[in-house]
Amino acid sequence: MIAKIGRGSNLYGALAYNQLKVEKENGQILFANRIIETPNAQYSIAQLTQSFEPYLIANRNTEKPILHISLNPDPKDNVSDKKFKLMAQDYMQELGYGEQPFVVFKHTDIDRTHIHIVSVCVDEEGKKISDKFEKRRSMKVCRELENKYGLLSATEKGHRQNDKIFRPVNYQTGDIKSQIASVVRYLPKYYKFQTLGEYNALLSLFNITTEKIEGELQGKIKQGLLYFPLNENGEKAGHPLKASLFGKNAGLSALELHFEESKEALKNHTAKLAIKASIEIAFRSTNDEKNFKKQLGEQGVNVIVRKNGTGRIYGITFIDHNSKTVWNGSRLGKELSANSFNDYWNHNIKPEIKRLNEPHPKISQHNAMKDLPAEKPHELFDFLNKEITASSTNETSMMESFGGLLPEAQGEDYEEQDFTNKMKKKRRRKRGK
């Protein structure tokens, strides 16, 4: 179990954030400690505020008297409401807040069910309750609660994190949102791609696809994205999920900005020469799709081929994990377009591929690669030392042989992150004044 402790000065904001989950039926109040009771056991923000006001009025000089804690068991833990209540009481007692007013909210809007606790860190006399070594004490309490309530150990999980790798989305496991989130959250940070089609090629390695949707809202045309899990045949295998579930970086506006930035960055990128050289060599030295993919795969390049129902190739995209760039075939040259590969692999009509010294004398793959920036790849993508087996003939098996690109991520609560960021911004503005 992981505990996150936050402090602030806005009681209304902390209560409103949690109460909104309740009103949307994505949460509930599990327990209230030293909170004024109501006749129907239902609470409004105003009613909850009354129990904290005496402490805040008595506050002497504590700048951030509001305590906002979240307790996050492992997604595999099956924690009952009763157990959540007991865990919250034990945690607050051990950290010195057992006699404080506090409210325990359960959040159920993401796959990782967890609880939030809103309280104050000043006592009835307005004195601040000691937070000395709080982080260390919190970690100790979490380990004790894991043992007491039979939860999975976050410490052991942390030790295993480097060995635990993210695999392509498995639509049968039931945690689709978490699986997709861990992919779409990271890919735009590290890979450059210029179109939605190139982004989809990259997503296909993880058994994901996205589609643009358009509709009218209050007389205005609105656009957005839906994400879908794919099965082993590349077919949609689940309900669509809105991009907003995965944070703003997964949305259409952020991606369109990423397309423009990538277009500018790749305009004169030396990776284009390197990957084009690799493709041309593979094209001349192989006779079919299987061996072409295998040869490029051994160099850290994925080939995504799109075909219609009759087998005609209408799209081909190259993903270079060395430079972390994605290229549509026609962007690299007319001779590397989908039509060229269709003519060769389906009709044995081999297009003319100019030698590397035409029109670039003495350009070689080695020299092109040497000109690439010496930036060390991010550890999330440090898979090129994995041996690629001869059986890697399609995108899924290629990803398996790479060993996966990303560590497995638990279901992040992006609304919670956004709320935390807003609180931090408010604090910065106040300091500025």
Side-chain angles (χ1 to χ4, degrees), residues 270-385:
T270 50
K272 185 174 183 178
L273 289 176
I275 191 171
K276 187 174 182 181
S278 297
I279 295 167
E280 289 174 350
I281 291 170
F283 206 172
R284 285 197 301 270
S285 59
T286 61
N287 297 315
D288 54 37
E289 180 180 342
K290 176 180 177 180
N291 286 306
F292 178 80
K293 285 185 173 183
K294 179 178 180 293
Q295 183 167 316
L296 286 174
E298 289 169 350
Q299 299 173 53
V301 177
N302 272 124
V303 183
I304 309 300
V305 178
R306 294 177 294 283
K307 303 176 183 179
N308 63 17
T310 63
R312 175 178 173 76
I313 297 171
Y314 66 87
I316 189 163
T317 305
F318 301 92
I319 301 170
D320 179 19
H321 299 290
N322 304 291
S323 61
K324 301 189 284 289
T325 57
V326 185
W327 304 86
N328 188 47
S330 58
R331 196 185 299 282
L332 295 171
K334 184 179 178 181
E335 69 277 14
L336 299 180
S337 67
N339 284 336
S340 296
F341 288 92
N342 183 70
D343 288 343
Y344 186 30
W345 292 338
N346 287 337
H347 305 294
N348 202 29
I349 304 172
K350 192 168 186 175
E352 181 184 353
I353 300 290
K354 293 182 179 180
R355 292 282 176 179
L356 293 179
N357 60 352
E358 300 175 23
H360 300 288
K362 299 181 182 179
I363 285 287
S364 69
Q365 179 189 8
H366 173 74
N367 289 333
M369 288 300 294
K370 187 174 67 175
D371 292 336
L372 288 174
E375 176 191 0
K376 184 179 178 181
H378 190 279
E379 60 183 5
L380 292 175
F381 301 95
D382 186 20
F383 58 85
L384 291 177
N385 59 337

Side-chain angles (χ1 to χ4, degrees), residues 126-288:
K127 293 174 59 178
K128 181 181 178 182
I129 297 172
S130 175
D131 59 357
K132 194 174 183 180
F133 305 117
E134 186 172 69
K135 186 174 181 180
R136 187 186 306 172
R137 290 188 292 123
S138 174
M139 291 175 65
K140 181 175 180 291
V141 174
C142 285
R143 302 296 79 79
E144 292 171 351
L145 294 179
E146 287 169 351
N147 291 329
K148 182 175 180 179
Y149 295 103
L151 306 178
L152 292 174
S153 172
T155 303
E156 291 179 9
K157 183 171 184 177
H159 290 319
R160 297 194 307 265
Q161 189 65 41
N162 290 334
D163 300 322
K164 199 168 186 181
I165 54 179
F166 185 89
R167 299 290 182 181
V169 168
N170 183 348
Y171 69 97
Q172 297 175 319
T173 62
D175 57 345
I176 297 298
K177 185 159 62 172
S178 294
Q179 292 186 68
I180 293 179
S182 62
V183 175
V184 301
R185 183 183 179 194
Y186 286 104
L187 289 188
K189 290 185 178 181
Y190 303 110
Y191 277 65
K192 299 187 187 305
F193 41 85
Q194 304 177 57
T195 66
L196 196 61
E198 291 177 356
Y199 180 47
N200 261 327
L202 189 56
L203 288 177
S204 71
L205 297 180
F206 297 91
N207 297 338
I208 303 170
T209 190
T210 186
E211 288 184 3
K212 186 187 291 187
I213 56 170
E214 190 175 280
E216 188 175 315
L217 181 64
Q218 297 179 345
K220 294 183 179 180
I221 299 297
K222 299 288 185 180
Q223 292 183 325
L225 292 179
L226 292 177
Y227 286 85
F228 298 82
L230 302 175
N231 62 19
E232 58 278 3
N233 298 318
E235 302 162 334
K236 294 175 186 174
H239 297 296
L241 297 170
K242 292 180 180 179
S244 57
L245 294 171
F246 309 118
K248 64 179 182 180
N249 287 339
L252 184 59
S253 297
L255 285 171
E256 287 178 338
L257 179 61
H258 183 78
F259 298 157
E260 290 302 314
E261 291 174 348
S262 295
K263 185 176 181 180
E264 187 63 29
L266 296 178
K267 189 178 294 183
N268 299 307
H269 203 298
T270 50
K272 185 174 183 178
L273 289 176
I275 191 171
K276 187 174 182 181
S278 297
I279 295 167
E280 289 174 350
I281 291 170
F283 206 172
R284 285 197 301 270
S285 59
T286 61
N287 297 315
D288 54 37

